[in-house]
Amino acid sequence: MIAQKLITVGENENTVFRSCKDGIHTNVFETICAFLNTRGGTLLLGVDESGEVYGFKERAIPDIIQALKMATQNADTFQPPFEMEPVREIVDGKYVLVLNVPESANVHALRGKVFVRRGTENIRVERKEELTRLYVQKQEIYTERKIYPFMRENDLSDSLIERAKALLLMKNEEHPFGRLENHALLKEMNLSGINYETGERGLRLLAGLLFGKDMTLRNLFANTAVTCERQVDGETQRLNMETNLLDEAEKLIRFLQPAAGEETAKAFVSEFLLSREYTSAYPAKITASSQKLVAEFAVSMGRFGNPMLKKYFCEFGIASEEDSYGLTKEEHDGICRMTWQKEKSGKTRQEPVKEIVVKTPLAAENRAFSKTDVSDPQEKESADGERFTPQERQMQILKMMAENERITISAMVQELQVTKRTILRDIDKMKKQGWLKREGSEKNGRWILLGEAKEQVKQD
């Protein structure tokens, strides 16, 4: 359960607890706004800062969920409004709500006030230059939103736009965009707009990616090529493409399906297309067999998937709305190697194990980690923290806690040169083994070593 894991780890920059004993207050919406504008995060309602579970009465849950959804979709409250689906869970026999808030491609305001997340605080952005910088940062993170004032609608393919309309109507025969004229469709899909820094109007880069003619793509991008290779029944087959995303998605899924199956191929292609940085000249490559899918491609700093592109991939039927796509917050600009591999025989888990390695030119080491909570994380230990084996790293963590019971996760990350995810995974495992526990909140709590771990640290 997500809620129980969050409580075990405690509050941090990306996780906030709110008891909501007296109702849903403004600080909940301020945190939502700050998460949208910064790195995203998770709100746990019904739990206080120390991790004590208060919960909600079961009969009140539907009304609370409805009130949250109405507030976030109300243009008088959030500008622009957005959709969010709170999830109910049971912890210690009590109902709590989990609110997963992704980083947004837009700048959001709460009743005209803009908030961002700095450390564990929500900070209001008031100075004009800070607000301008925030808009520029959003533009840089999602390069597909960039305005190209000299790209015209005749640089796009009418047949591709018509195909997009057909896909929208196939998924939802009453979709409001399905019967619009091309110009109106581009506007409603937010594929045309204005650069608020320069005042220029035009089509966004994403319009070219989705609907651009081949010549348009060659002029817009340094390299949209994808080289694919698959092994089926001992034979090697190849596919080379340099085309728009609609054609690319369809052809890639069809090409990978004989090796990986339809469901896996579709999910893999969605993650690949939604994570890739298209303005990079680095060529993308995919290799496939019945046991493994591997993609190597460029990623950019601060990019954790693409909400704008995902929205339309889901509406076109290319991606699934239930799945989470894109890279995580620990990753940096560079070259990503994404691997999906089937579990070894004898395991109960059926879905593929996903691993991502990002080689960044700014660091000497690779950062890698499993994107799936596999049965034994030790088997999937990656290049992250090659200085230690998992057992050695966990002993180092215990020693640091023994020396400083209030040591922070960030300090451990810096000392061991691994990702935050790795530290949290190690701590979670040691808690389950009965080696340590946490008293108090993330900010003011302390670590306590237990039993065997306490004795082992003394011996070392």
Side-chain angles (χ1 to χ4, degrees):
M1 291 175 60
I2 295 174
Q4 186 59 66
K5 290 182 179 179
L6 293 174
I7 293 171
T8 300
V9 174
E11 284 191 314
N12 53 52
E13 181 178 357
N14 304 112
T15 304
V16 173
F17 302 160
R18 292 284 183 261
S19 64
C20 300
K21 289 185 291 185
D22 303 318
I24 308 299
H25 293 298
T26 301
N27 58 6
V28 170
F29 297 114
E30 287 180 0
T31 303
I32 291 173
C33 184
F35 280 157
L36 287 166
N37 288 331
T38 316
R39 301 294 192 189
T42 303
L43 262 165
L44 190 54
L45 305 186
V47 179
D48 74 3
E49 293 181 355
S50 68
E52 183 178 351
V53 180
Y54 286 88
F56 301 101
K57 293 181 180 179
E58 183 179 3
R59 64 176 179 272
I61 290 287
D63 290 338
I64 295 172
I65 291 177
Q66 183 64 20
L68 287 167
K69 292 172 69 172
M70 287 180 64
T72 56
Q73 294 173 25
N74 184 346
D76 291 330
T77 306
F78 277 92
Q79 305 89 34
F82 68 99
E83 294 183 4
M84 181 181 63
E85 193 65 43
V87 177
R88 72 179 75 186
E89 290 193 11
I90 299 177
V91 180
D92 297 337
K94 301 173 182 177
Y95 283 93
V96 299
L97 288 175
V98 181
L99 279 60
N100 289 310
V101 184
E103 179 182 10
S104 176
N106 298 300
V107 175
H108 291 265
L110 172 64
R111 298 185 182 91
K113 300 175 183 178
V114 175
F115 294 87
V116 294
R117 192 82 174 152
R118 291 180 187 163
T120 58
E121 302 293 331
N122 302 325
I123 305 297
R124 183 181 172 187
V125 180
E126 298 184 84
R127 296 172 59 188
K128 184 177 180 181
E129 55 268 31
E130 291 179 343
L131 188 59
T132 300
R133 192 181 305 120
L134 182 59
Y135 274 99
V136 172
Q137 288 172 351
K138 291 290 184 180
Q139 186 78 30
E140 290 173 349
I141 288 174
Y142 301 106
T143 52
E144 291 82 359
R145 291 175 51 80
K146 184 177 179 181
I147 297 291
Y148 277 69
F150 298 109
M151 181 164 57
R152 306 291 186 228
E153 289 185 22
N154 58 12
D155 293 315
L156 308 181
S157 167
D158 290 338
S159 62
L160 286 172
I161 297 177
E162 291 301 321
R163 193 203 301 182
K165 293 179 188 178
L167 290 171
L168 292 172
L169 293 173
M170 189 181 302
K171 189 86 181 295
N172 176 9
E173 61 183 18
E174 297 182 358
H175 199 293
F177 295 178
R179 307 188 192 284
L180 294 176
E181 296 294 329
N182 289 359
H183 178 78
L185 177 71
L186 294 171
K187 184 177 180 180
E188 290 298 323
M189 289 181 68
N190 197 23
L191 296 178
S192 63
I194 182 172
N195 183 327
Y196 288 102
E197 187 180 15
T198 65
E200 294 177 316
R201 294 182 179 274
L203 294 173
R204 299 190 188 278
L205 190 65
L206 183 55
L209 265 176
L210 286 171
F211 306 134
K213 298 174 181 177
D214 289 346
M215 181 60 72
T216 305
L217 291 168
R218 283 192 287 270
N219 288 330
L220 278 174
F221 303 102
N223 191 345
T224 58
V226 181
T227 302
C228 305
E229 184 177 291
R230 73 181 182 196
Q231 295 281 341
V232 178
D233 298 329
E235 293 186 7
T236 301
Q237 299 167 324
R238 293 180 176 82
L239 173 68
N240 296 313
M241 289 185 301
E242 190 168 7
T243 185
N244 61 80
L245 292 189
L246 286 181
D247 284 335
E248 187 171 317
E250 180 182 321
K251 291 177 180 178
L252 280 176
I253 293 170
R254 190 186 311 132
F255 184 77
L256 297 177
Q257 186 173 331
E262 181 179 3
E263 184 176 344
T264 298
K266 190 173 180 180
F268 182 82
V269 168
S270 296
E271 183 134 21
F272 164 69
L273 295 178
L274 290 171
S275 299
R276 185 182 176 194
E277 174 51 63
Y278 293 94
T279 60
S280 171
Y282 189 86
K285 182 180 180 181
I286 295 176
T287 56
S289 69
S290 59
Q291 295 299 315
K292 184 185 292 187
L293 292 172
V294 181
E296 189 170 284
F297 53 95
V299 293
S300 65
M301 182 175 290
R303 178 190 175 108
F304 319 126
N306 190 319
M308 186 177 178
L309 184 54
K310 179 187 174 182
K311 171 181 172 63
Y312 294 116
F313 266 29
C314 291
E315 292 189 342
F316 294 153
I318 297 171
S320 170
E321 295 177 1
E322 292 76 25
D323 290 334
S324 174
Y325 301 104
L327 312 185
T328 68
K329 300 173 182 59
E330 289 87 351
E331 294 165 351
H332 296 265
D333 58 332
I335 308 306
C336 173
R337 184 177 176 87
M338 181 174 73
T339 303
W340 285 34
Q341 185 170 345
K342 288 188 176 180
E343 285 277 17
K344 295 179 181 178
S345 59
K347 296 288 182 70
T348 57
R349 190 181 293 274
Q350 298 300 313
E351 66 266 24
V353 172
K354 294 179 284 185
E355 182 182 69
I356 285 182
V357 179
V358 175
K359 305 172 185 177
T360 167
L362 304 178
E365 82 273 19
N366 292 344
R367 291 190 171 91
F369 48 88
S370 170
K371 291 195 72 180
T372 305
D373 186 16
V374 295
S375 302
D376 186 0
Q378 306 290 359
E379 294 184 6
K380 300 300 175 187
E381 192 62 40
S382 66
D384 188 2
E386 287 180 341
R387 293 188 299 155
F388 305 108
T389 66
Q391 293 79 10
E392 290 171 340
R393 186 179 60 245
Q394 288 162 17
M395 182 54 63
Q396 292 296 321
I397 291 172
L398 292 173
K399 287 179 179 178
M400 286 188 282
M401 291 176 174
E403 293 172 0
N404 178 8
E405 64 181 12
R406 299 191 184 278
I407 189 170
T408 64
I409 300 294
S410 299
M412 290 185 244
V413 167
Q414 185 173 0
E415 177 67 24
L416 296 176
Q417 292 296 296
V418 294
T419 63
K420 182 177 179 180
R421 184 186 180 98
T422 296
I423 296 291
L424 293 178
R425 188 180 63 198
D426 283 339
I427 289 174
D428 186 54
K429 182 168 185 178
M430 290 190 287
K431 283 181 177 178
K432 290 177 181 178
Q433 290 173 328
W435 291 0
L436 63 91
K437 68 177 183 179
R438 176 79 178 178
E439 279 192 355
S441 67
E442 176 72 17
K443 186 176 181 180
N444 301 314
R446 65 191 184 105
W447 302 103
I448 299 177
L449 303 192
L450 304 172
E452 182 182 339
K454 193 173 183 179
E455 294 302 318
Q456 186 66 40
V457 169
K458 286 181 179 179
Q459 292 175 13
D460 287 355

